[in-house]
Amino acid sequence: MALLTDDECQADVVVLGTGLTESIVAAAVARSGRRVLHLDAAETYGGAGRSLPLREYIAWAGDARDARMPGDGVQAGGDLRSLPRHGWQRLWEPFAPRRTPETAEMPEETREQTEVPEGQRAFALSPERTECYAERSFEWDPFQQMNGIRRKKNELLRNPSAFSLDLSPRLLYGRSEHVDVLIESGVARYLEFQGLKFTRVLTSEGLISVPLTKSEIFQDAHLSKAEKRMLMRFITSIQPYVSSLAFQSAAQLGVDQAAKIKGPSDQSALGMELDGSWRAFLQQQNLSERLQDFITYSICLWDWAPTEAFPQLSCREALERLGAFISSLGLYGRGTSMPLLFPMYGIGEVSQGYTRLCAVHRGVYALRTRATHLLAQEEEDGTMQLSGLVTCRGEQIKASRLVAACGELLQDQVPSQSSSQHCRRMTVLLSSPPLGEEGVSLCVVPPQSLDPPLQNVVQVLQLDFSSGACPHGYFLAHLSQASISDPGPLPFADLDRVLEELLKRSPKTACIFRCRYLQRPRDVATRWDVSTRTGGFMERCLHEERLAVVSDPPAVPQLLAVQEVHDARRIFGSFFGAESAFLPKPQHVAEEEMSGSLEELEHFNQQMQAQEAQEAQEPPVASLVQEDAEQ
Amino acid sequence: MASGTPPKVFHFKLVLLGDASVGKSCLVVRFAKGEFYEYQEPTIGAAFMTQTVSLSSEVVKYEIWDTAGQERYKSLAPMYYRGAAAAVIVFDITSRESFDAAKSWVAELQNTDTLIALAGNKSDLEASRAVEREMAKSYADQMGILYMETSAKSGQNVNELFHEIAVRLPKQSKEDDQSRGFAAVASTVQRGRAKLRERFLPSFLHKENFRCLFLPWFCSFLSRLAKPFIQTPESC
């Protein structure tokens, strides 16, 4: 049964799970010349932050039967040998003997008794695999307004790989640690990004675009003159803070260094208390309600309404967010000034990019491989040391260090617990752009925009063909809302209302499918029960920095990838010391940059020569003309 | 440049797909460097190889991606072949299994804009051939893709394969997107025909499938109809 060769079973670091953070760690370890074995129990890359093609997405979200069609995979004129397995099942269903579900299900190999080598001990991990997504549901044509939904459905399912649907969509700031690491490590070479085209705010007056530059503020049609003046005054007065922050922001310094800096020292100019409430500060600045919402929700991208139950935005954090936003303005993309980047085909693609970097540096990859036991070596002094793990195929892997995604590592018979902060998500496929214009764009709905007010602010991310997420002529909207309280009976009511409101603006828009789910990141701290022997062992491995557990993608911020690189750097540093280089620039990237600039120089020289040649040719022509004239 | 305008240079991403050890890397190394090693060690740290093919009026610059071994346990990241202008799907003519794997790769990429070429590698091992040339050829014709038998060892057909891909690749700058879509359509007329056939002749109606699929179904249908009239021992 064993697949991996003996040689591959000897690794320096085993990584379980192919989420973004784990993949970055794997790439960094492989890049430093150590041997990595990267496993994932799932069939696809990306862990909890994966991006799925349509069929897999439907199977994940709801009914697996919805994703299949009779005769699936039978090719034109071909014979049935090319038929995939589920296609066969489908064809034989009418005359296959009836089986009870118990026998139909493939029993997973249970290895109660693992042969453990001399002097080692095996600690069982939980065989159950849970996800951080709950209450998933998927419906075709949820509003029952479409004719021919069946035809449309078949048309979409015929080419399911035209979709790349994020479970937890993420954007990157144009200038951020993450983008720096992507470029430095050469992973950016594998990926493409789309710049955000515009940001809108849905207010009671309609969809309003957020003015970002002086000229945009000046030309804005929605703001009153007084508001424009207020906004300009605010921007001018906040300028010194933000511009100084642009140099001190986490993005430029690296998060760990930025954490040491106390923030802007000169606070007297605005009379700002850094730990004070941002909302109070904005009120003090005499900004109108609407402008306050603009700044807090669409520029700072704050996820919580000013309710007492929710976390409050402090001035320090707001300035940091403002700095990150403003320092990334106008960096990438033609004609767009928006500071956020969407990785084409979703965030799952970014983790795949890192896995490729790891593989190029001899990392070994095996999906569909689960760890069943941790192995420990008994030392002379009687303590246990992590020595490796056993896979579901019974391979014994030797490794002294282990990185595991939260979902891959749970002690047997310990229930998984979730944190109270969660994110309600809804993904819909529409036939025309819900935000009025095509392109990757963001819309924020402050709670007061609708009547009665929403429980919390809603963010809408619109994606189209250009982002690689859906086929031509269709539009995806990811709606999300952070929450802290119990979901209640109707957790998605607010999202539905926002969708309805957006659809009202373009009555011809059809909603082709709707998928709803709760994203509940699990608690890393309760992956094991410390009072048991296994739990105690795992806890000690964690303290001795031989084991690192990676948390699920956070519920808040809903649409930003901010923590992953920082976490990966921390894990890598804890394993090999902070002085070892984290994803240094590879030779070929340096060479490419060099040759790129050389090419540019050459191009410039050629242009200059051409111009000179032209100039050299021109005078005789001119003189001839003159001579003609003289004659 | 002395003579008129310099030839236009086009950059294309080209990927190699196929089972492990069918000779993907050997093929690339043979093409890019003109070398062959019996035991090809994967190049550590190299993400791409580049090689240019000169056509009469333009130059095609390939950026060739290797799988980096991720295909070994069927764990190839989709990112690898995403957005590739061309894919060379390689199988080993001495292994029937690798040909089946190649077929599934063709199916995977069929509906994308990627130009597909099928390469039956190790043609120097004629003696232990397991996949007939005619069968592979007729399969490729049916799918409307390019087929060549290559040998990285002897170098047979390797440059020809990449040259033929260069000829077939639709060439236009990224600026004029509209002509791009148009050119892509023109170059894939053959594929379009295959698709048309697919549309007009639902696959399960094919005569090959009639005997194995419809006959049993029809029999079971008959037996279901007859069920109420047949008294089985249990129902007595």
Side-chain angles (χ1 to χ4, degrees), chain A residues 110-314:
Chain A
T110 43
R111 291 185 170 267
E112 294 296 313
Q113 248 67 94
T114 314
E115 300 137 43
V116 179
E118 197 71 14
Q120 294 206 359
R121 225 188 103 96
F123 295 103
L125 296 174
S126 168
E128 112 190 72
R129 282 185 36 82
T130 55
E131 269 219 288
C132 59
Y133 302 101
E135 297 187 35
R136 306 186 290 241
S137 68
F138 183 95
E139 298 154 272
W140 289 99
D141 190 18
F143 304 117
Q144 266 123 44
Q145 87 232 93
M146 282 184 72
N147 301 322
I149 180 70
R150 181 167 285 275
R151 212 179 53 221
K152 187 131 261 174
K153 178 177 151 185
N154 288 350
E155 183 193 315
L156 292 174
L157 283 173
R158 198 167 296 143
N159 192 8
S161 52
F163 285 90
S164 182
L165 297 153
D166 274 314
L167 304 189
S168 171
R170 301 281 147 162
L171 298 160
L172 306 173
Y173 277 118
R175 174 172 291 161
S176 61
E177 195 191 12
H178 203 155
V179 172
D180 289 348
V181 167
L182 277 171
I183 293 171
E184 280 279 301
S185 63
V187 173
R189 248 343 224 101
Y190 309 141
L191 305 167
E192 285 179 290
F193 293 89
Q194 277 288 336
L196 201 67
K197 244 172 112 191
F198 53 86
T199 324
R200 301 244 152 115
V201 178
L202 180 67
T203 64
S204 41
E205 289 110 80
L207 275 176
I208 296 178
S209 35
V210 179
L212 292 173
T213 59
K214 279 176 195 170
S215 62
E216 276 174 14
I217 295 174
F218 189 69
Q219 288 166 358
D220 194 271
H222 297 282
L223 298 176
S224 71
K225 271 192 183 147
E227 278 180 319
K228 283 183 189 178
R229 241 177 260 132
M230 279 193 286
L231 188 60
M232 269 319 287
R233 205 180 51 227
F234 174 74
I235 287 178
T236 332
S237 64
I238 203 97
Q239 203 84 42
Y241 278 90
V242 171
S243 58
S244 71
L245 265 164
F247 296 100
Q248 298 185 350
S249 73
Q252 285 204 324
L253 292 171
V255 181
D256 37 6
Q257 274 170 298
K260 286 181 211 146
I261 295 169
K262 289 285 187 298
S265 51
D266 179 31
Q267 310 158 20
S268 54
L270 285 162
M272 182 191 288
E273 289 281 333
L274 279 177
D275 293 317
S277 152
W278 176 249
R279 192 151 274 272
F281 169 72
L282 290 181
Q283 269 159 5
Q284 208 183 312
Q285 297 290 310
N286 290 327
L287 289 168
S288 70
E289 220 25 65
R290 186 158 71 164
L291 288 179
Q292 289 181 24
D293 281 353
F294 276 23
I295 293 166
T296 313
Y297 296 128
S298 69
I299 295 181
C300 295
L301 293 169
W302 183 242
D303 309 275
W304 304 100
T307 319
E308 276 180 15
F310 293 152
Q312 296 298 311
L313 181 59
S314 70

Side-chain angles (χ1 to χ4, degrees), chain A residues 331-399:
Chain A
L331 266 186
Y332 296 101
R334 270 167 304 166
T336 61
S337 55
M338 288 304 301
L340 292 164
L341 300 175
F342 179 79
M344 275 188 80
Y345 311 106
I347 195 75
E349 210 75 354
V350 180
S351 54
Q352 289 176 32
Y354 282 106
T355 65
R356 177 166 163 84
L357 182 68
C358 177
V360 163
H361 289 95
R362 284 211 157 159
V364 176
Y365 277 81
L367 299 178
R368 296 169 283 267
T369 308
R370 196 172 61 80
T372 55
H373 293 82
L374 291 185
L375 288 177
Q377 177 88 46
E378 197 151 359
E379 295 289 303
E380 281 165 12
D381 55 355
T383 56
M384 291 289 197
Q385 283 284 5
L386 182 71
S387 66
L389 52 85
V390 184
T391 68
C392 54
R393 288 184 297 266
E395 294 139 332
Q396 287 182 9
I397 288 152
K398 265 196 187 152

Side-chain angles (χ1 to χ4, degrees), chain B residues 2-58:
Chain B
S3 62
T5 52
K8 260 196 136 178
V9 182
F10 294 94
H11 292 256
F12 289 113
K13 171 181 172 181
L14 183 143
V15 296
L16 284 110
L17 294 166
D19 259 2
S21 71
V22 293
K24 295 186 292 297
S25 301
C26 293
L27 216 54
V28 181
V29 171
R30 167 61 82 181
F31 172 61
K33 297 187 183 162
E35 296 164 0
F36 177 77
Y37 305 99
E38 198 78 45
Y39 300 100
Q40 176 72 40
E41 273 285 306
T43 338
I44 308 296
F48 317 103
M49 288 207 202
T50 51
Q51 178 65 295
T52 49
V53 171
S54 301
L55 302 176
S56 55
S57 60
E58 64 253 317

